[in-house]
């Protein structure tokens, strides 16, 4: 899919394609104009203009190195942009992968920038370990094109200055025939997926004769993220590494290879210099730029593994490894229903959001992208793992037959259960390594996306009481036992303790699924999920004959809670389930999950009336506009924040799924569900990514890409497709 890039006038260093694309939003790209690449440790957002505007390094919750997405002047970026006066941009993922290709087309030529972070090929003997590199390939496949490369890092959330040194590489290989292109294993694979003629015996390549080394000053902060007693978290969340930028060049057909020259350049941030380079490529020419942390361990064994001799052949092999890794992974998906391409893309994105060392799932790779443009202050750091989001992700993977990830996350849950809170409960969120501390801090020196301050790192909601997490977790565990692997006795003991905790605390008010920053309430959704937690515990007892001394108490509590919800959360005058026991006039789209978790039937008259009210427009007391669903009325609801927000994509997919559950009594509701999914997919960006919210103009809002939304897409597609297949059409 593509986007048209506006004419940019006379090409110059001061007026480029990127400048024209960013004019409409005062120096920013729209949130939906980015694709994502990553390596299961960290990720980067690549704009349609060829600029990497967001990357934390070396892990998801490490300080940012590039963050122009949150400050156009200070944030830092790594751009490779054509100097064509008028250019059309197209961006897509290479088939079945998370390798991103950005194509630039103009009258004089066509160029492609291919971005990836290496993943080792499954069962590879020569590349069994991951190379923690950011790799950017630039090539021209027709005519000629001039590119501007700019690399301006801004370390430690643009707080820490750095020094730049351009080193000569004296042992760099001169231009040498690259016969490897025809001989390497990847010859056929490369020629199919890329534009590199691997059968050309006249291919030449050479390694760059210089490298740019960025050395940040040592920094310490006594407040905020990284100030923690967890040593693993401290190391990751305060990591500010020296980095270098290197390159290799190749050309086909026996022509002369282009020369690349790195030039020191000042940047307006005042944090330190960057490097620029302008170069012209003709058809058949290619440059790889490689950015990495410079090796800190100088032992021969470490250098042999993580600092191998750089060559065109080696980098091409890393690209092939990465393509084969993603292809092999997605081939395990067992879903073949409607919206297959969108479901597979969502699965690939959820995998990118998985932190490989622990199996934790990050809610989003970004922090502080606003949920509303203006000064509403709804900007949060999502680079952590929520019990809720991770449980939903485990459900989504299992529905697609991707059980390995579910097993890994269960190991993470086991570790959390070994260190419960003093009262026997869990936190609502943890760091990616299972840590509990994530102090929230506002970064006043960053203006925020489109001047939407504040920019926050860390998350102050970590100590919230949100009782719904137990239902979501127990539901996922129940499905794990059913579809993936039977629970062990030790796992059951952990789960049993959580159900006992719910029985002891279900009657407490909490902050709810939406993490309100106002007063605690008895939220209906939280009560429903407490019921789910106890119900799934009882089902496990019945299915597996697990020992449970408190079974009768569980049954009594579950039944008592059910009747309480039906009595206290139901408004007979308005004929709807309400947001909470305290606010009987407030509607909340979270109750759409009731039939999804089998609390009630989708055809239950009370639920159907509630759903139909939600489907009304806001001015008529509903939550739906243009088939998009608000999670609640942000103006009338006391959530402790000001201003409005966009429609919540998760809730829109929940509505589609709820309609399919209700369609057994009215088949027209099933067709409505199909229309909603089709329209929601239309709101995804050009490569199928979704943020948290969508505004009135159809633009993305909130952190991006958002795990919650992609999880809901998979669940809705799976269940609506199943309902469509089982329905007899009139």
């Amino acid at each position: 899919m593509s986007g048209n890039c506006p004419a940019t006038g006379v090409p110059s260093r001061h007026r480029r394609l990127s400048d024209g694309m960013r004019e409409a939003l005062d120096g920013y790209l729209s949130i939906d104009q980015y694709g994502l690449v990553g390596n299961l440790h960290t990720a980067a957002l690549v704009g349609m203009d060829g600029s990497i505007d967001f990357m934390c390094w070396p892990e998801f919750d490490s300080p940012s190195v590039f963050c122009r997405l949150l400050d156009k002047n200070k944030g830092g970026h790594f751009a490779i942009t054509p100097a064509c006066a008028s250019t059309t941009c197209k961006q897509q993922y290479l088939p079945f992968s998370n390798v991103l290709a950005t194509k630039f087309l103009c009258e004089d030529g066509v160029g492609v920038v291919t971005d990836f972070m290496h993943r080792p090929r499954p069962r590879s003997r020569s590349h069994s370990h991951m190379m923690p590199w950011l790799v950017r390939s630039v090539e021209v496949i027709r005519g000629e094109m001039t590119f501007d490369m700019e690399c301006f890092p801004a370390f430690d959330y643009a707080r820490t200055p750095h020094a730049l040194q351009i080193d000569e590489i004296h042992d760099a290989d001169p231009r040498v025939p690259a016969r490897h292109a025809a001989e390497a294993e990847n010859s056929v694979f490369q020629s199919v997926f890329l534009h590199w003629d691997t059968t050309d015996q006249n291919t030449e390549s050479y390694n760059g004769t210089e490298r740019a080394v960025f050395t940040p000053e040592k920094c310490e902060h006594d407040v905020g993220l990284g100030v923690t007693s967890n040593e693993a978290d401290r190391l990751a969340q305060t990591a500010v590494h020296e980095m270098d930028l290197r390159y290799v060049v190749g050309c086909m057909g026996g022509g002369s290879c282009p020369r690349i020259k790195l030039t020191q350049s000042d940047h307006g941030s005042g944090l330190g210099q960057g490097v620029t380079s302008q170069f012209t490529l003709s058809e058949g020419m290619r440059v790889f730029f490689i950015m990495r942390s410079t090796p800190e361990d100088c032992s021969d064994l470490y250098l042999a593994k993580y600092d191998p001799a750089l060559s065109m052949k080696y980098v091409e092999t890393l690209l092939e490894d990465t393509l084969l890794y993603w292809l092999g992974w997605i081939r395990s998906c067992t879903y073949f229903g409607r919206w297959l391409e969108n479901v597979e893309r969502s699965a690939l994105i959820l995998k990118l959001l998985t932190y490989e060392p622990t199996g934790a799932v990050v809610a989003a790779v970004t922090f502080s992208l606003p949920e509303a443009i203006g000064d509403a202050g709804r900007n949060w750091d999502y680079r952590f793992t929520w019990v809720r989001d991770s449980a939903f992700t485990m459900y989504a993977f299992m529905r697609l037959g991707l059980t390995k990830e579910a097993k890994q996350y269960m190991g993470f849950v086991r570790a959390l259960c070994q260190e419960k809170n003093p009262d026997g409960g869990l936190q609502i969120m943890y760091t990616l390594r299972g840590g509990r501390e994530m102090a929230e801090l506002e970064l006043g020196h960053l203006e925020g996306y489109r001047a939407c301050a504040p920019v926050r790192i860390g998350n102050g909601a970590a100590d919230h009481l949100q009782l719904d997490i137990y239902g979501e977790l127990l539901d996922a565990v129940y499905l794990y036992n059913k579809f993936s692997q039977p629970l062990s006795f030790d796992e059951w003991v952990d789960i049993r303790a959580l159900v006992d905790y719910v029985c002891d605390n279900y009657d407490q008010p909490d902050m709810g699924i939406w993490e309100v920053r106002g007063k605690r309430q008895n939220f209906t959704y939280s009560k429903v999920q407490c019921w789910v937690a106890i119900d799934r515990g009882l089902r496990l007892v019945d299915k597996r004959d697990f020992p449970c001394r408190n079974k009768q108490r569980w049954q009594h509590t579950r039944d008592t809670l059910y009747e309480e919800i039906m009595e206290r959360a139901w408004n007979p005058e308005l004929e709807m389930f309400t947001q909470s026991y305290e606010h009987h006039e407030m509607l909340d789209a979270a109750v759409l999950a009731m039939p999804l978790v089998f609390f009630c039937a989708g055809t239950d008259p009370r639920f159907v009336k509630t759903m139909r009210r939600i489907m009304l427009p806001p001015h008529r007391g509903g939550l739906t506009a243009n088939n998009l669903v608000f999670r609640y009325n942000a103006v009338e609801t006391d959530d402790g924040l000001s201003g409005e927000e966009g429609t919540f994509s998760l809730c829109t997919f929940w509505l589609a799924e709820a309609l399919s559950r209700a369609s057994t009594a009215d088949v027209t509701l099933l067709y409505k569900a199909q229309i909603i999914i089709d329209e929601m997919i239309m709101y995804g960006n050009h490569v199928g990514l979704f943020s948290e919210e969508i505004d009135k103009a159809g633009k993305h809002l909130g952190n991006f890409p958002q795990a919650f939304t992609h999880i809901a897409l998979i669940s809705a597609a799976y269940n609506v497709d199943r309902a469509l297949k089982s329905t007899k059409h009139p």
Side-chain angles (χ1 to χ4, degrees):
M1 303 181 73
S2 67
N4 291 324
C5 311
T8 60
V10 179
S12 75
R13 182 174 169 186
H14 302 289
R15 178 66 177 176
R16 295 180 301 272
L17 163 71
S18 182
D19 299 323
M21 291 185 68
R22 295 167 185 268
E23 278 184 342
L25 299 182
D26 192 27
Y28 293 93
L29 290 181
S30 174
I31 292 173
D32 55 12
Q33 286 190 296
Y34 289 93
L36 184 75
V37 296
N39 60 7
L40 311 190
H41 291 254
T42 190
L45 289 176
V46 185
M48 287 194 69
D49 61 354
S51 178
I52 293 179
D53 288 345
F54 186 92
M55 184 179 77
C56 294
W57 190 268
E59 302 198 335
F60 290 113
D61 55 348
S62 296
S64 62
V65 174
F66 303 121
C67 198
R68 179 156 67 164
L69 190 60
L70 293 173
D71 194 302
K72 62 187 178 184
N73 297 315
K74 302 175 185 176
H77 65 279
F78 184 2
I80 301 176
T81 307
C84 299
S86 182
T87 304
T88 297
C89 313
K90 296 180 181 290
Q91 193 175 67
Q92 66 176 15
Y93 284 104
L94 297 187
F96 312 110
S97 81
N98 282 315
V99 175
L100 188 68
T102 307
K103 183 176 289 188
F104 303 104
L105 304 94
C106 66
E107 290 293 331
D108 297 330
V110 176
V112 181
V113 175
T114 303
D115 290 286
F116 71 96
M117 292 185 188
H118 175 242
R119 288 295 306 165
R121 183 191 314 190
R123 295 175 295 280
S124 171
R125 295 181 180 178
S126 57
H127 296 87
S128 59
H129 62 280
M130 184 187 78
M131 296 303 298
W133 296 355
L134 169 67
V135 183
R136 313 200 71 189
S137 164
V138 193
E139 59 183 317
V140 167
I141 58 176
R142 177 183 66 78
E144 183 177 276
M145 184 170 284
T146 298
F147 291 89
D148 289 310
M149 186 280 292
E150 294 181 344
C151 185
F152 288 103
F155 292 95
D156 188 29
Y157 307 108
R159 293 184 294 185
T160 300
H162 67 269
L164 168 65
Q165 182 172 327
I166 298 181
D167 294 340
E168 291 187 8
I169 305 177
H170 298 289
D171 59 349
D173 295 334
R175 298 181 202 181
V176 293
R179 291 167 130 185
H180 65 267
E183 298 169 354
E185 302 175 19
N186 63 3
S187 56
V188 175
F189 200 83
Q190 288 271 338
S191 62
V192 169
F193 281 92
L194 302 174
H195 308 283
W196 194 248
D197 185 0
T198 57
T199 63
D200 193 331
Q201 297 290 336
N202 295 316
T203 299
E204 292 186 356
S205 67
Y206 73 89
N207 298 344
T209 58
E210 56 189 355
R211 66 168 187 154
V213 181
F214 304 94
T215 306
E217 295 181 2
K218 291 186 178 181
C219 57
E220 290 186 6
H221 306 287
D222 54 7
V223 293
L225 194 62
V227 180
T228 172
S229 58
N230 185 306
E231 183 65 10
D233 282 343
R234 186 188 66 78
L235 291 174
Q237 294 169 359
T238 60
V240 181
H241 293 177
E242 180 180 84
M243 303 185 74
D244 67 10
L245 178 66
R246 302 175 294 164
Y247 60 90
V248 293
V249 182
C251 55
M252 296 186 300
S256 176
C257 287
R259 276 318 209 176
I260 307 295
K261 178 65 177 176
L262 300 181
T263 304
Q264 290 181 282
S265 181
D266 292 323
H267 189 258
S269 68
L271 294 173
Q273 291 185 312
V275 292
T276 62
S277 181
Q278 187 173 85
F279 53 92
T280 300
L281 302 181
S282 300
E283 182 176 342
M285 295 181 178
R286 186 180 194 180
V287 182
F288 278 108
F289 290 97
I290 302 101
M291 194 167 189
R292 60 166 188 173
S293 296
T294 58
E296 297 179 356
D297 186 340
C298 295
S299 66
D300 292 341
L301 183 62
Y302 181 90
L303 293 178
K305 188 173 183 179
Y306 291 106
D307 192 25
L310 196 61
S311 68
M312 181 67 73
K313 174 182 178 180
Y314 185 79
V315 183
E316 286 174 349
T317 304
L318 295 184
L319 175 54
E320 186 207 4
D321 284 351
T322 304
L323 287 166
L324 287 174
Y325 171 84
W326 290 114
L327 174 62
W329 184 81
I330 198 61
R331 285 180 65 183
S332 299
C333 177
T334 58
Y335 180 79
F336 297 101
R338 291 170 177 81
W339 309 291
L340 175 60
E341 182 179 350
N342 307 96
V343 168
E344 287 186 337
R345 175 51 49 198
S346 290
L348 284 162
I349 292 302
L350 289 177
K351 181 63 174 177
L352 266 186
L353 299 180
T354 303
Y355 182 61
E356 185 178 46
T358 63
V361 179
V362 65
V365 302
T366 57
F367 57 90
S368 287
L369 288 178
E371 297 173 8
I373 301 301
D375 58 358
R378 298 173 181 264
N379 314 335
W380 316 109
D381 189 347
Y382 277 12
R383 297 171 299 153
F384 307 105
T385 184
W386 272 252
V387 172
R388 176 189 307 113
D389 299 39
S390 297
F392 282 150
T393 303
M394 189 163 71
Y395 164 82
F397 280 146
M398 285 189 291
R399 279 302 188 200
L400 302 181
L402 302 168
T403 58
K404 180 180 177 181
E405 285 68 26
K407 292 176 182 178
Q408 191 177 19
Y409 181 67
M410 271 302 297
F412 184 69
V413 170
R414 281 294 316 279
L416 298 182
C417 288
Q418 303 308 306
E419 299 183 11
K420 292 192 281 286
N421 295 338
D423 63 356
L426 300 175
Q427 278 197 179
I428 65 163
M429 70 177 85
Y430 294 85
T431 69
L432 301 177
R433 290 152 293 277
R436 297 168 172 272
E437 301 166 74
M438 51 204 82
E440 188 171 287
L441 176 69
E442 294 186 5
L443 302 179
H445 65 287
L446 297 178
E447 72 170 12
Y449 176 75
R450 295 178 59 185
C452 295
V455 173
R456 295 185 178 97
I457 57 173
N459 200 303
D463 59 355
H464 277 192
L465 177 65
Q466 296 175 18
L467 293 170
D468 66 285
I469 65 171
Y470 299 98
E472 292 137 356
L473 178 59
L474 265 293
D475 192 36
V477 169
Y478 174 77
L479 293 173
Y480 173 82
N481 176 79
K482 183 177 180 179
F483 295 112
S484 182
Q485 181 171 305
L487 288 181
S488 68
F489 174 74
D490 290 332
E491 289 171 332
W492 166 246
V493 171
D494 292 333
I495 296 305
R496 184 175 63 187
L498 292 180
V499 179
D500 284 334
Y501 173 86
V502 174
C503 289
D504 291 337
N505 293 276
Y506 77 91
D507 57 351
Q508 299 297 311
D510 70 348
M511 307 300 268
I513 181 177
W514 308 131
E515 296 179 358
V516 298
R517 300 260 172 143
K519 296 179 180 179
R520 289 186 179 187
Q521 300 178 45
N522 287 283
F523 287 100
T524 302
Y525 179 82
S526 295
K527 302 304 180 185
V528 169
Q529 288 293 355
C530 285
W531 178 91
V532 170
I534 304 170
D535 177 75
R536 299 314 187 260
L538 287 167
R539 292 193 192 197
L540 285 169
V541 172
D542 293 339
K543 296 285 186 182
R544 294 289 308 281
D545 291 324
F546 280 129
C548 182
R549 298 174 182 175
N550 294 329
K551 182 177 179 180
Q552 289 186 343
R553 183 194 179 211
W554 290 9
Q555 290 174 327
H556 175 75
T557 304
R558 180 191 62 177
D559 296 345
T560 299
L561 180 55
Y562 194 99
E563 293 193 2
E564 176 185 295
I565 294 169
M566 287 299 188
E567 179 182 349
R568 299 187 62 187
W570 175 252
N571 184 324
E573 287 77 27
L574 296 177
E575 295 189 309
M576 69 178 193
F577 285 110
T578 60
Q579 183 181 57
S580 67
Y581 295 171
E582 290 82 359
H583 293 92
H584 253 216
E585 295 76 33
M586 296 297 176
L587 196 57
D588 191 326
V591 301
L592 290 169
M594 282 180 162
L596 279 55
V597 297
F598 302 103
F599 176 82
C600 66
T603 55
D604 185 288
R606 289 190 177 191
F607 175 76
V608 172
K609 290 174 181 177
T610 303
M611 181 177 66
R612 290 192 179 280
R613 178 170 286 275
I614 289 173
M615 294 171 66
L616 294 174
H619 68 272
R620 294 178 57 193
L623 295 175
T624 303
N626 190 30
N627 277 343
L628 300 174
V629 182
F630 294 91
R631 52 183 174 176
Y632 53 78
N633 188 319
V635 175
E636 296 180 1
T637 298
D638 178 19
D639 61 4
L641 299 166
S642 61
E644 299 183 10
E645 62 178 17
T647 58
F648 213 78
S649 298
L650 165 77
C651 296
T652 304
F653 282 120
W654 275 1
L655 174 60
E657 192 170 345
L659 285 165
S660 74
R661 302 295 177 97
S663 66
T664 54
D666 182 356
V667 72
T668 62
L669 298 180
L670 182 57
Y671 303 134
K672 178 69 172 178
Q674 185 174 2
I675 289 171
I676 288 175
I677 293 180
D678 286 337
E679 290 190 359
M680 267 303 296
I681 287 173
M682 178 179 65
Y683 286 107
N685 81 344
H686 56 285
V687 288
L689 307 189
F690 289 87
S691 64
E692 189 173 32
E693 300 182 9
I694 297 172
D695 72 7
K696 294 177 182 177
K699 297 292 186 181
H700 288 214
L701 292 172
N703 285 307
F704 177 86
Q706 234 277 355
F708 235 174
T709 307
H710 288 279
I711 293 163
L713 185 155
I714 291 171
S715 181
Y718 180 93
N719 287 291
V720 173
D721 176 71
R722 184 170 61 176
L724 286 166
K725 288 177 178 177
S726 63
T727 298
K728 293 182 179 179
H729 297 267

